[in-house]
Amino acid sequence: MKSQGVAFLPLEHRSSISEYETPLITTTGDSLTVDFESTITPIVLIFIPNINIDAKWIQKGLTVAGGHGEGEKLHKLYEPYNVSVYDHQIMYICDEHNHRIVEWRIGDTHGRVVAGGNGQGKRDDQLNGPLNLILDKQTDSFLICDCGNKRIVRWPRQNGTAGETIISKVSCDDLAMDKDGYLYVSDHQRQEVKRWKIGVTNGVVVAGGNGKGNKLSQLDYPTSIFVDQEQSVYVSDNHNHRVMKWKKDTEEGIVVAGGHGRGNNLRQLSCPRSIIVDQTGTIYVVDQFNHRVMRWLKDAPEGNVIVGGKFEQGEEQLNYPSGISFDQENKLYTADRHNHRIQKFNILNPEDQDGQTSAKQKVEKHSEFFAETLHMSDALRMPTHGKTVAGGHGQNHGNHQLSKPEGIFFADEQTMIIADSNNARIIQWKIGDDEGTVIAGGHGIGEGLNQLNIPTNMLIDKQTNSLIICEWGNRRVVRWSCLSGTTEGEILFDDIQCNGIAMDHQGYLYISDTEKHEVRRYQMDQKKGTIVAGGNGKGSSLHQFNFPTYLFVDQEQAVYVSDSSNNRVMKWDKHALEGKVVAGNHGRGYNLNQLSYPQGLSSIHR
């Protein structure tokens, strides 16, 4: 039996563009034969995350699939084992004990079965405990690790009713493919990882294969694997509670995480599962029995917990997680197995979404929004030296200090309202004063009505004498009265990854959503709003955005948007179906025709 195509790696494994020939695959028994004579040549996109070593994730996870208890209905999952994010919007979930692969679009309330789902079994139309998959985009099919049936099957992605076995008699826990199209499979019964090369009939052991044990040449129940650009193989050595790295053509591995016995201190792991290695060599590993995801910097003696660590069902907890995936904005997705759900953890700093910002490149963003249209002469020139009017005393929480201020709003000529982002507060500061006054938040990071979480921008609604605040970290917009003595706010809109906010002269509210790549206009009594810019998915076309941040609305209700990751500013006229570029759009850079992650903006009337 023959099948054609080389598998695409899941999104978290892609990092560069390469070309290679795609062989025909033939199987006999437990061997794989690759026919090099009949080939096609696809373009393969391989993404390996590039994540800042200081990156942090919001600890409150969002349930994006399942979460309704175990079950077989399409809004439920039953111990999902792995998740792969594809094209930013689609997750493919190995729903292990429902014996099926589920496609689930982010934002939907239910998924659809794309493989299996016909009960537990070994027929061609059945699966038995699938644990992982990779996508062959050339043939638009999945390669599935069908663990309970000890086989790897190919299954058409569109309207597939049955699969075909391409490898049998293998106790597979995971599979991967490198940039040259070689297939890697872990076998927990033979305690090895094999690679099938082009032109040979039998796989080659590339890790383990020396019996069960804890020597550097051995493995004990290998589960998840990851293959880097140098064809080094990383292996979750589950019962040895360590992650091993086997360089190409070596006879033993090296311990790169754990290896100090089973435990829960930062030097230890407990039955590790899914692993991802980014471009810097940092390892991200699911520490399953410690209910956490850990990050292990290259050559570090210990790791640190990035999410989880508590054995619970809450939004900040995980319950025997098994799989992880990153999207291209470095949002973390976890298969929270015993909670029967997929959790998404947003990255904490918006400016680090693409992982490109280094510690030296991070600068405090001072975004400006003005309530009234500015009138300035063409001849006006700004001074070349600035004067500090707020903060400047280091990054801390004193009232004379700021910590990563984001939006700024002038209540009058002498009074600034500042979104003191990392201090989770809004602070009022009169020009000439040595310190400000907290007028919203200031009770620590949290989701209580007296708390804020990464406020990014705000404005004053003079009609109600209140602040309207974008809370990026809590995914909500809140109203906070300006009256003295106010101790908490009220939620106006939630479930929106808001970053920028503006109001037009008719009192309509405009909010940017960095997750849905759109701007919506709201009446105060509306909950859904109307899309006025973007809303066509992430992209660089004139009808799209890529991480829209700050806004300005002019007197004609045209919307100006900082299209941050496209390094441009767009103007969308009222009722327009697409915008036009008014600044930048010549790539990221520091030339005078370029921008680099634009944020705050205003428009000047002449």
Side-chain angles (χ1 to χ4, degrees):
M1 184 179 298
K2 291 188 177 183
S3 64
Q4 186 172 348
V6 165
F8 265 41
L9 299 180
L11 181 61
E12 71 268 19
H13 294 190
R14 303 186 217 160
S15 79
S16 60
I17 297 178
S18 59
E19 294 187 11
Y20 55 85
E21 293 182 312
T22 305
L24 294 177
I25 302 175
T26 308
T27 60
T28 306
D30 60 353
S31 65
L32 178 75
T33 302
V34 184
D35 179 5
F36 191 66
E37 298 302 320
S38 299
T39 63
I40 54 179
T41 307
I43 300 297
V44 177
L45 298 173
I46 303 176
F47 172 76
I48 297 177
N50 185 13
I51 304 174
N52 190 284
I53 61 174
D54 297 320
K56 295 181 181 179
W57 286 261
I58 297 172
Q59 295 303 295
K60 179 181 176 181
L62 302 170
T63 301
V64 291
H68 303 286
E70 67 181 58
E72 61 182 19
K73 292 183 178 180
L74 291 179
H75 70 294
K76 293 185 176 185
L77 300 170
Y78 188 4
E79 295 197 3
Y81 191 87
N82 224 322
V83 57
S84 296
V85 182
Y86 180 69
D87 281 351
H88 310 288
Q89 297 296 321
I90 301 174
M91 298 174 289
Y92 291 108
I93 302 166
C94 292
D95 192 9
E96 182 184 1
H97 289 303
N98 279 325
H99 313 289
R100 64 191 185 187
I101 306 298
V102 177
E103 178 187 278
W104 203 304
R105 291 183 177 272
I106 293 173
D108 285 357
T109 58
H110 61 278
R112 73 179 184 97
V113 177
V114 292
N118 298 305
Q120 180 181 8
K122 59 183 179 181
R123 298 194 312 259
D124 286 346
D125 67 338
Q126 293 178 307
L127 297 172
N128 183 0
L131 299 187
N132 206 354
L133 61 84
I134 52 181
L135 178 61
D136 176 358
K137 196 169 184 179
Q138 183 65 46
T139 60
D140 200 19
S141 62
F142 301 109
L143 296 182
I144 302 170
C145 185
D146 189 15
C147 181
N149 285 323
K150 295 187 176 183
R151 66 186 182 186
I152 293 175
V153 299
R154 181 189 298 279
W155 200 295
R157 188 171 71 95
Q158 301 291 341
N159 303 315
T161 58
E164 59 174 327
T165 300
I166 63 169
I167 301 178
S168 61
K169 298 180 182 178
V170 56
S171 298
C172 56
D173 258 75
D174 202 1
L175 73 170
M177 195 165 281
D178 67 19
K179 61 184 177 64
D180 294 324
Y182 302 160
L183 187 66
Y184 297 71
V185 180
S186 65
D187 189 322
H188 62 248
Q189 187 172 43
R190 293 183 177 134
Q191 315 293 344
E192 66 186 18
V193 177
K194 275 190 174 182
R195 178 183 68 211
W196 277 270
K197 295 183 178 181
I198 292 174
V200 298
T201 57
N202 292 300
V204 175
V205 175
V206 293
N210 296 301
K212 175 180 176 179
N214 60 8
K215 296 179 180 178
L216 294 180
S217 62
Q218 296 177 304
L219 299 169
D220 187 354
Y221 208 89
T223 53
S224 296
I225 55 177
F226 182 94
V227 183
D228 68 15
Q229 294 290 82
E230 286 72 45
Q231 295 179 317
S232 294
V233 181
Y234 294 78
V235 186
S236 280
D237 192 8
N238 190 268
H239 290 180
N240 282 326
H241 313 292
R242 66 189 183 185
V243 176
M244 301 284 289
K245 176 182 179 181
W246 293 66
K247 294 183 179 180
K248 186 177 180 181
D249 300 327
T250 56
E251 295 184 357
E252 63 180 30
I254 57 175
V255 178
V256 290
H260 297 282
R262 182 177 182 178
N264 62 4
N265 68 44
L266 295 181
R267 299 172 66 241
Q268 295 178 302
L269 298 170
S270 182
C271 298
R273 291 285 180 173
S274 182
I275 48 176
I276 293 174
V277 184
D278 73 10
Q279 293 183 32
T280 68
T282 298
I283 299 164
Y284 295 83
V285 54
V286 174
D287 190 10
Q288 186 176 44
F289 279 58
N290 284 325
H291 315 287
R292 64 192 185 186
V293 178
M294 296 193 71
R295 169 173 54 196
W296 223 285
L297 300 180
K298 187 175 181 180
D299 300 325
E302 63 181 31
N304 65 289
V305 179
I306 59 172
V307 296
K310 299 176 182 179
F311 174 36
E312 295 288 346
Q313 296 182 350
E315 294 170 323
E316 298 182 15
Q317 287 83 36
L318 300 172
N319 190 348
Y320 293 97
S322 51
I324 55 171
S325 181
F326 289 100
D327 65 18
Q328 285 190 335
E329 294 174 347
N330 294 330
K331 297 172 184 175
L332 172 64
Y333 297 75
T334 304
D336 190 9
R337 196 160 180 241
H338 286 191
N339 282 328
H340 314 290
R341 66 187 182 184
I342 305 299
Q343 291 291 93
K344 179 178 75 170
F345 295 89
N346 288 316
I347 198 162
L348 185 60
N349 296 317
E351 67 267 29
D352 293 340
Q353 287 291 327
D354 67 352
Q356 299 295 323
T357 308
S358 70
K360 291 183 179 180
Q361 289 172 320
K362 291 180 179 179
V363 295
E364 296 181 350
K365 300 183 301 179
H366 301 267
S367 307
E368 297 184 359
F369 173 85
F370 295 87
E372 304 294 335
T373 302
L374 299 178
H375 296 259
M376 292 187 181
S377 166
D378 288 342
L380 181 65
R381 295 291 183 266
M382 297 294 181
T384 58
H385 297 283
K387 177 182 178 181
T388 301
V389 293
H393 300 285
Q395 181 174 301
N396 216 320
H397 58 269
N399 281 357
H400 66 299
Q401 297 173 303
L402 299 171
S403 181
K404 288 197 174 180
E406 299 248 0
I408 180 173
F409 184 97
F410 275 84
D412 55 46
E413 291 182 356
Q414 295 296 318
T415 307
M416 299 175 290
I417 310 296
I418 303 167
D420 191 10
S421 179
N422 278 13
N423 280 328
R425 66 189 183 185
I426 305 298
I427 194 164
Q428 176 179 288
W429 205 303
K430 289 187 177 294
I431 292 176
D433 284 357
D434 295 327
E435 64 179 33
T437 303
V438 177
I439 58 174
H443 299 284
I445 296 174
E447 59 181 354
L449 291 179
N450 68 336
Q451 296 176 302
L452 300 174
N453 187 353
I454 314 180
T456 55
N457 209 348
M458 73 272 118
L459 56 83
I460 294 178
D461 180 2
K462 293 182 179 179
Q463 185 174 359
T464 60
N465 192 26
S466 61
L467 284 169
I468 300 178
I469 305 167
C470 269
E471 281 192 82
W472 196 86
N474 279 331
R475 294 171 56 87
R476 67 188 184 187
V477 176
V478 297
R479 187 205 306 273
W480 204 294
S481 174
C482 293
L483 295 176
S484 177
T486 302
T487 59
E488 63 180 35
E490 61 170 320
I491 299 172
L492 293 179
F493 311 103
D494 57 8
D495 194 29
I496 177 172
Q497 198 69 71
C498 54
N499 198 98
I501 189 168
M503 187 178 286
D504 67 18
H505 64 281
Q506 294 182 339
Y508 289 102
L509 200 62
Y510 297 72
I511 302 171
S512 66
D513 189 322
T514 60
E515 185 175 61
K516 295 177 181 175
H517 308 286
E518 67 186 21
V519 177
R520 285 182 182 252
R521 183 181 66 203
Y522 296 82
Q523 290 182 341
M524 286 301 183
D525 58 350
Q526 283 184 335
K527 288 297 182 183
K528 291 187 178 180
T530 302
I531 295 174
V532 294
N536 297 299
K538 176 180 176 180
S540 59
S541 299
L542 292 179
H543 66 296
Q544 295 178 303
F545 291 127
N546 186 353
F547 207 81
T549 53
Y550 291 85
L551 310 174
F552 181 88
V553 182
D554 69 14
Q555 294 293 89
E556 286 73 43
Q557 294 180 315
V559 182
Y560 294 77
V561 185
S562 285
D563 190 9
S564 182
S565 292
N566 279 329
N567 304 297
R568 66 189 184 186
V569 176
M570 301 283 289
K571 177 185 178 183
W572 290 64
D573 290 318
K574 187 177 180 180
H575 303 312
L577 297 178
E578 63 179 29
K580 56 184 178 182
V581 179
V582 293
N585 206 38
H586 297 282
R588 180 184 176 190
Y590 54 84
N591 293 325
L592 295 181
N593 67 343
Q594 295 178 301
L595 297 171
S596 180
Y597 302 117
Q599 301 290 330
L601 77 160
S602 182
S603 179
I604 298 172
H605 178 74
R606 292 187 174 92

